[in-house]
Amino acid sequence: IPCTTISDDTFRREREVVSEEVEQKHESFAGVAAIDAALYPDGHPYHRASSTPASIRAITRDQACAFAARHYGLDHAVLVVSGHVTKDELEPILRDVLPGIPARTVDPQPAVPPVLPHGQRTTLALPGNDRAVLVAWPLPADPHERTIVLAVARMMADRIAPDINGVVVPGVAGGARAPQLVIAVLLRPGETANHVLDLLVQPFPGSAKVAATEFEHERQRAIHALFTSFEDGLSRDALLAGYVEAGGEAGASLADQIATLNHVSFVEAVRVGQDTLALQHARIVDIVPAGSAQHTAITALAAPIHEAGQPRGEIDPAEAHQAAGGAELPDPFAGAITRRLPNGLTVELLPLSSVPAVDIRLVFAAGSADDPPDKPGLADLAAHATNGLRSLEDMSWWMPFFKAGGNMVTSVTADHTTYEVTGIDMYLDHLLTGLARDLRSATPEQVDQALVALRRATKRTDAPKLPTTWPSALYGADHPYAHALFRATDAFVLDGASVIKFREQHFAPSNATLIVAGGFDVAVANAWIDYLFGTWDGVAPPRPAPPAHATPIALAVARDEPQVALEISLPATLDERARPGQLVAAAMMKELLDDVRHRLAASYGVSAELDAQRLAVRYAIEASIDSARAVEATALVRDQLAKLRAGGPELAATFVRARARVLLQLRATTAASRALAEAAERAVDLGHDLHADVATARAVRALTLDALAPTLAALDLGRGAILVRGPREVATAMFAALGRTPTFAP
């Protein structure tokens, strides 16, 4: 379809929308561009300035269309189709579709010269208060050596992380034709870049035996990462397209990469690390604070750009008054196996992936909402209390776990605590052993070490940025969520005895669900689970479930920035029977509120979703809006919500589209190990059966607009909690458009 078919109005609207995105992320975009400029020499294609709102607005439709004509052709494209489809099914479709795409000559890709190893150190001042150091090396062109270098880099990052307080992130900068490996370290107060560089002087310091063990750990993590990239649809498509763009064949390139990781020796890894990742070959960038960024004021447009809103297809209104057609939703957990051990532990086995990767999660029904009021942060400390030093006795199980790529990730939410271990199915025994042995108890020494680390982290944690009146309005001042979700941890009132008591009370098999997802042998998994977890005992006390009490509030935070943050929370009924209608109502809300983007081009987008938790359900609306058009946008949000609440036949098409989108989302769980484990963990968190989405989809399919009317009528903006962060006069005018007077937080 030629670009010239796009109307002037449509082009202007989308140009404004993109400029809004750039404005929202201006500092991060500018920072990335400045870093690229520091890592690549003058004249290199990757050494260039980033876009700005002004530069975006200067682009004309003719310029954009000319760019598309010069570069968008089939000769420069890779089509990837992956999923539940066969070659025989696909080929007739492609024979019908591809001839309809006109062939045209496009410009050849410009040459991108490689960056040569070059010892160089520069200083870069960026907006904000962060201090960091970046160490970069050109990645080898040879795929075999590049795979090894990336594995060695992850090992180096893991090695230096315990010796600093900051965050260490290995990554790749630039583009695919001249990439550079970057180890980025965010420095904390008191730390210096030279300290980090001293740690990186030798890629493999210490004994060869220890280094070889760490390399084996990183090898298995790299293999697992490759498999999981192939599991996930979007990652898989990008991975396969990258192989083809590099001149390879997709399947053979993947096999070569796995073979490289499987067969590379530690001696070869040492050679590559010493030759390629020597510090004298690196580009070093010291990032120092430059103060606050200066934003360019944006002049309000004279009138809405596109009064018609977003284009939508024709739908017969009669469809809103009858059940949806189409096939029944397939159960993504049809092959799941649920067990309950005699000690009360629930086991969910999900052997549903064809890729030999596993994601293992032990989920406890205890989180920060279970903290005693006088000990905030207790659940978090209890969760991390096993991350301390291990005794010599522990080495018998910990070393095989580590060499198998075992890596424990601990996360705490308001309602649950999860320990996650990932790896390859051939090491399922070691992974389960590591999980079981590391979590069954916490020694006083481990608790003390975790408490020291938490106190150190608390010193560098920013204070809450939201007034306490906001969470109190969402849930009630005394509700557990009011402190669990928004208040900072106070590590200085915690003690080891309280941690041990919390673990004994809540981390019991009767309060836990073990999830194993991916491609694995069920018999092997069951045998090891029975052996490792069968003798575990303990019973958790009943869990309180206080109801949430939302109250209306009009709250503003004065902030002199070009983008205004708008948040609206509308209370919903905590009743599982209401969930199908609430999901469709939220999808309708999302479509109507997207007109803030499509009519006004005042935002890159407005999010609207159903935020469901164990103790509360609400509709959450969030937007970042151009301050010059914020009042117009707020009035449109008000009018669209009023339209939704009023119901009526004019919402028929919106309802039909929303119902279809919800059905699509309910069937979107893939067979990837991580996606399966996340979906199962979410079900555990909400107290749902694994197969609940099938019943929900059935109810959504039967839902009609008439039946949804009471749910829509409850979407009363007058009952909502509203928070605006932006210039004082703009915030005041926005609330005036809503008929509310704000209270400004100090």
Side-chain angles (χ1 to χ4, degrees):
I1 301 175
C3 174
T4 50
T5 62
I6 298 172
S7 69
D8 287 335
D9 277 351
T10 299
F11 176 79
R12 291 175 58 232
R13 180 195 69 209
E14 291 304 323
R15 184 177 59 189
E16 284 295 315
V17 166
V18 173
S19 71
E20 287 298 322
E21 181 195 27
V22 173
E23 183 64 53
Q24 289 177 28
K25 303 177 181 178
H26 179 69
E27 285 190 23
S28 58
F29 280 4
V32 170
I35 289 170
D36 282 345
L39 294 178
Y40 290 90
D42 289 340
H44 194 279
Y46 296 162
H47 177 104
R48 61 180 61 200
S50 68
S51 56
T52 65
S55 70
I56 294 294
R57 288 189 173 91
I59 297 171
T60 67
R61 189 189 67 152
D62 289 344
Q63 290 171 332
C65 290
F67 184 92
R70 289 200 312 271
H71 297 288
Y72 296 171
L74 293 184
D75 288 347
H76 284 184
V78 178
L79 174 66
V80 182
V81 182
S82 65
H84 191 61
V85 63
T86 66
K87 182 179 179 181
D88 290 343
E89 292 170 334
L90 182 61
E91 284 187 337
I93 299 172
L94 295 182
R95 283 197 297 268
D96 289 341
V97 171
L98 293 181
I101 303 176
R104 63 170 178 264
T105 302
V106 295
D107 292 354
Q109 287 189 327
V112 176
V115 177
L116 300 178
H118 179 65
Q120 176 181 305
R121 188 167 184 175
T122 58
T123 299
L124 178 63
L126 292 181
N129 299 312
D130 287 337
R131 294 168 52 252
V133 59
L134 311 180
V135 187
W137 299 267
L139 276 171
D142 178 66
H144 175 85
E145 291 213 350
R146 181 178 294 190
T147 299
I148 299 172
V149 166
L150 291 172
V152 172
R154 284 189 291 267
M155 178 177 169
M156 292 170 64
D158 284 348
R159 180 180 277 280
I160 70 172
D163 295 324
I164 61 174
N165 292 329
V167 180
V168 185
V169 181
V172 177
R177 287 175 284 170
Q180 292 195 67
L181 166 69
V182 178
I183 294 181
V185 182
L186 179 65
L187 301 173
R188 297 300 184 186
E191 291 183 322
T192 66
N194 287 339
H195 173 58
V196 173
L197 298 178
D198 289 342
L199 295 173
L200 288 171
V201 167
Q202 290 292 332
F204 302 99
S207 71
K209 183 177 181 180
V210 172
T213 300
E214 291 181 349
F215 177 73
E216 188 59 34
H217 171 78
E218 292 301 336
R219 179 212 303 273
Q220 298 305 328
R221 287 184 64 193
I223 293 172
H224 174 260
L226 190 57
F227 276 130
T228 54
S229 294
F230 197 70
E231 275 190 312
D232 178 71
L234 293 176
S235 297
R236 176 176 62 241
D237 294 350
L239 185 71
L240 296 178
Y243 289 146
V244 175
E245 288 176 334
E249 190 276 320
S253 298
L254 176 66
D256 288 345
Q257 200 167 356
I258 294 173
T260 295
L261 290 169
N262 271 322
H263 298 116
V264 62
S265 68
F266 172 64
V267 173
E268 185 179 6
V270 170
R271 177 191 63 77
V272 171
Q274 292 176 339
D275 292 348
T276 305
L277 303 181
L279 202 59
Q280 63 265 31
H281 297 158
R283 290 175 180 265
I284 301 168
V285 180
D286 293 291
I287 295 178
V288 298
S292 300
Q294 297 297 317
H295 295 275
T296 303
I298 299 176
T299 304
L301 300 173
I305 288 178
H306 200 280
E307 287 287 2
Q310 57 183 310
R312 301 177 176 116
E314 293 295 327
I315 288 179
D316 183 356
E319 293 183 42
H321 305 287
Q322 57 195 27
E328 186 77 5
L329 172 71
D331 185 356
F333 294 109
I337 301 167
T338 301
R339 300 175 58 208
R340 192 171 181 86
L341 301 190
N343 60 5
L345 175 67
T346 300
V347 179
E348 299 286 3
L349 299 181
L350 313 175
L352 308 176
S353 173
S354 60
V355 175
V358 290
D359 190 309
I360 306 169
R361 303 187 186 201
L362 186 59
V363 184
F364 291 101
S368 55
D370 298 288
D371 283 344
D374 60 336
K375 294 186 183 295
L378 187 58
D380 192 69
L381 179 57
H384 291 87
T386 58
N387 295 344
L389 293 174
R390 295 176 176 83
S391 66
L392 291 176
E393 294 179 358
D394 293 334
M395 292 300 104
S396 62
W397 61 262
W398 187 83
M399 190 61 72
F401 169 78
F402 183 75
K403 292 178 69 173
N407 192 47
M408 191 85 68
V409 177
T410 306
S411 59
V412 181
T413 70
D415 288 318
H416 72 276
T417 297
T418 298
Y419 295 93
E420 179 186 11
V421 174
T422 57
I424 304 301
D425 72 315
M426 67 183 292
Y427 297 118
L428 184 61
D429 52 349
H430 294 318
L431 300 174
L432 284 168
T433 299
L435 177 63
R437 296 290 172 85
D438 203 33
L439 298 175
R440 293 287 290 274
S441 64
T443 66
E445 292 78 14
Q446 288 174 320
V447 172
D448 288 342
Q449 188 180 46
L451 186 54
V452 170
L454 183 62
R455 284 172 177 162
R456 185 173 63 182
T458 301
K459 289 182 181 180
R460 62 176 190 253
T461 300
D462 293 334
K465 296 180 179 179
L466 290 176
T468 56
T469 48
W470 177 246
S472 297
L474 298 187
Y475 304 107
D478 297 326
H479 195 273
Y481 285 170
H483 69 82
L485 299 176
F486 294 94
R487 293 180 187 171
T489 295
D490 186 359
F492 299 94
V493 302
L494 302 176
D495 59 273
S498 298
V499 173
I500 296 292
K501 181 179 179 181
F502 187 95
R503 288 179 61 86
E504 290 175 347
Q505 285 183 329
H506 297 286
F507 292 6
S510 65
N511 206 36
T513 300
L514 178 64
I515 301 166
V516 184
F520 60 92
D521 187 298
V522 173
V524 171
N526 275 327
W528 280 99
I529 290 169
D530 290 341
Y531 172 69
L532 294 166
F533 295 92
T535 58
W536 183 22
D537 57 17
V539 178
R543 199 175 191 193
H549 297 289
T551 55
I553 191 173
L555 186 63
V557 178
R559 199 169 64 180
D560 189 18
E561 294 183 0
Q563 293 282 317
V564 178
L566 171 66
E567 296 182 42
I568 300 175
S569 177
L570 301 177
T573 303
L574 183 60
D575 184 345
E576 191 56 32
R577 294 169 298 181
R579 181 169 179 253
Q582 291 171 342
L583 289 171
V584 176
M588 295 176 69
M589 186 184 301
K590 176 68 172 68
E591 176 175 305
L592 293 182
L593 295 184
D594 261 353
D595 274 357
V596 171
R597 165 182 175 164
H598 290 276
R599 288 193 193 184
L600 301 178
S603 172
Y604 192 69
V606 179
S607 68
E609 63 178 3
L610 185 71
D611 180 18
Q613 297 169 271
R614 182 178 70 94
L615 300 177
V617 179
R618 66 190 183 100
Y619 299 96
I621 301 169
E622 294 184 5
S624 184
I625 305 170
D626 171 14
S627 63
R629 302 182 72 81
V631 178
E632 296 172 87
T634 303
L636 183 56
V637 168
R638 175 201 65 204
D639 295 343
Q640 296 292 70
L641 288 176
K643 176 181 177 181
L644 198 60
R645 188 182 180 203
E650 63 271 16
L651 290 178
T654 302
F655 167 80
V656 173
R657 284 189 293 267
R659 183 176 61 182
R661 280 196 299 274
V662 171
L663 289 172
L664 184 63
Q665 292 162 0
L666 289 171
R667 67 187 303 165
T669 299
T670 70
S673 56
R674 185 170 186 82
L676 290 167
E678 284 180 345
E681 180 181 345
R682 178 67 174 161
V684 171
D685 191 30
L686 294 176
H688 291 173
D689 181 86
L690 280 184
H691 311 280
D693 278 353
V694 176
T696 299
R698 194 172 295 121
V700 169
R701 189 179 299 280
L703 193 64
T704 65
L705 179 58
D706 298 326
L708 190 63
T711 301
L712 298 178
L715 301 177
D716 183 1
L717 196 55
R719 298 173 56 215
I722 305 172
L723 173 65
V724 172
R725 286 173 285 179
R728 178 178 288 269
E729 65 279 4
V730 175
T732 301
M734 290 170 67
F735 275 107
L738 298 174
R740 308 274 284 272
T741 301
T743 298
F744 278 87

